[in-house]
Amino acid sequence: MRVFVTGASGHIGSAVVPELLQAGHQVVGLARSDSSAEALAAASAEVRRGDLDDLDGLREAAGAADGVIHLAFKHDGFAHILIGIARQAGVSGYVGDGANRWPSVHTLDAARVYRLALEGAPAGTRLHAVADEGIAFHDIAAAIGRGAGVPVASISASDAGERFAFLGAFVGVDNPTSSEVTRKVLGWEPGHPGLIEDLEHGHYFGQG
């Protein structure tokens, strides 16, 4: 299958592209910069120069593909951001009692969901790439505190915006999410460590 991927050199895209290539698909990746183009070429993907504002170019590329994966946001992952905030503040915070839950999944497990969905999910299927269906935010903050060597403390909801910047509106949200449909439809099972295990092994702390 020939697949057009936007955001192909971003955090998720850099895992999705090799997942597709290793499964025998042809990948055309959208690259806005020289560095993105070089990364895609090094991964043996075909490079399409442009950006998301070039609607005619996007339509042309999508029309020549058998499938399209749109990965619009490029980021280093929330764990890295939260670690950076904790280091800067000298404390790893959570809102209220920290009982609100966040879902999570390893990047490589998420990449496999994209590939399996492209290959066989019925049209219109809503899929959640979730391994940890709900981790108490207090536990995330505690693992970050241990890894970063800073204390852990409760932050009031009114101070969350100042402490967590753009994440302030989300850190107190309770958002448990089920992957039951994803597992059933795709036959998918996560095979990589969960978030807390990754944090405990220090996998994120070298990039703070």
Side-chain angles (χ1 to χ4, degrees):
M1 185 181 294
R2 184 175 173 84
V3 186
F4 176 51
V5 182
T6 71
S9 62
H11 178 68
I12 298 295
S14 62
V16 170
V17 168
E19 174 74 25
L20 292 170
L21 290 170
Q22 290 165 16
H25 298 291
Q26 293 178 279
V27 175
V28 181
L30 184 66
R32 183 174 57 182
S33 66
D34 290 342
S35 60
S36 293
E38 290 169 3
L40 288 170
S44 300
E46 182 180 330
V47 177
R48 171 86 186 199
R49 292 302 297 261
D51 58 39
L52 295 178
D53 294 325
D54 178 15
L55 298 183
D56 289 337
L58 292 175
R59 290 191 196 97
E60 180 184 343
D66 301 305
V68 177
I69 294 178
H70 177 43
L71 303 169
F73 297 101
K74 302 177 182 178
H75 56 83
D76 293 325
F78 287 139
H80 295 145
I81 297 171
L82 291 171
I83 289 168
I85 291 171
R87 283 174 164 159
Q88 182 175 9
V91 61
S92 180
Y94 56 89
V95 173
D97 63 3
N100 61 294
R101 295 157 292 176
W102 271 24
S104 74
V105 67
H106 194 283
T107 300
L108 296 179
D109 284 323
R112 190 153 52 91
V113 169
Y114 276 105
R115 195 243 318 155
L116 292 172
L118 182 73
E119 293 173 344
T125 305
R126 180 174 296 180
L127 302 169
H128 294 143
V130 170
D132 298 311
E133 297 192 350
I135 308 171
F137 198 89
H138 176 278
D139 295 340
I140 298 173
I144 289 173
R146 288 190 292 272
V150 299
V152 181
S154 174
I155 306 298
S156 70
S158 61
D159 291 334
E162 180 178 356
R163 173 59 59 86
F164 294 101
F166 77 97
L167 285 179
F170 306 103
V171 291
V173 172
D174 187 41
N175 186 37
T177 305
S178 172
S179 61
E180 180 179 357
V181 172
T182 306
R183 295 171 191 247
K184 182 177 181 179
V185 171
L186 302 181
W188 171 80
E189 290 292 335
H192 294 276
L195 177 58
I196 297 298
E197 184 179 352
D198 255 355
L199 288 169
E200 297 290 6
H201 283 86
H203 293 167
Y204 297 98
F205 292 93
Q207 302 180 37

